[in-house]
């Protein structure tokens, strides 16, 4: 499966769980945000437990934490709480992904 396909499945699955609404403000979601950066997760972290639906404004605010190296913005734990997940769960779920073929996603 191509990376583009994995990303599309990730976005569709996160949007489906969140009913297409931003989990912060309730507006129409446009982004499936990786709560913990893809590079910090096994196999890219393309798992439901690491994604949250956000509108463009709330996505920009979510990225503040990453842009400032954690000096400002809401922590990943805040977003995990919003979806009933945790970094540990997302990490474990990400480890289950097949890194070579992405046979199992989300």
């Amino acid at each position: 499966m191509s990376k583009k396909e994995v990303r599309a499945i990730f976005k569709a699955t996160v949007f489906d769980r969140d009913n297409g609404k931003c989990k912060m403000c309730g507006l129409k979601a446009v982004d499936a945000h990786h709560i913990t950066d893809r590079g910090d997760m096994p196999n890219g972290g393309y798992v439901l437990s690491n994604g949250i639906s956000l509108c463009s404004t709330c996505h920009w605010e979510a990225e503040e934490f990453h842009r400032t190296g954690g000096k400002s913005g809401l922590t990943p734990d805040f977003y995990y709480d919003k979806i009933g997940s945790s970094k540990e769960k997302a990490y474990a779920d990400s480890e289950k992904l097949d890194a070579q073929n992405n046979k199992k996603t989300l």
Side-chain angles (χ1 to χ4, degrees):
M1 186 177 301
S2 73
K3 190 164 212 152
K4 185 176 182 177
E5 291 169 316
V6 171
R7 287 178 178 167
I9 292 168
F10 172 72
K11 183 177 181 178
T13 304
V14 171
F15 279 16
D16 185 54
R17 181 202 56 215
D18 299 337
N19 297 312
K21 305 264 185 206
C22 175
K23 291 294 281 183
M24 298 300 296
C25 70
L27 292 176
K28 181 179 178 185
V30 296
D31 294 303
H33 174 67
H34 283 83
I35 297 171
T36 295
D37 285 337
R38 295 177 295 254
D40 294 337
M41 286 292 211
N43 306 310
Y46 289 95
V47 291
L48 186 60
S49 54
N50 190 45
I52 187 168
S53 299
L54 299 173
C55 70
S56 57
T57 299
C58 291
H59 193 215
W60 178 256
E61 291 173 5
E63 292 293 336
E64 178 71 14
F65 183 84
H66 304 291
R67 282 192 305 271
T68 64
K71 293 178 184 169
S72 68
L74 298 170
T75 67
D77 286 338
F78 174 85
Y79 294 102
Y80 282 124
D81 286 345
K82 284 281 195 187
I83 63 164
S85 187
S86 67
K87 183 175 183 177
E88 294 76 22
K89 177 171 178 22
Y91 196 94
D93 291 347
S94 294
E95 285 184 314
K96 295 174 189 172
L97 293 174
D98 180 349
Q100 292 295 322
N101 300 313
N102 289 311
K103 289 179 184 172
K104 180 181 177 198
T105 59
L106 312 167

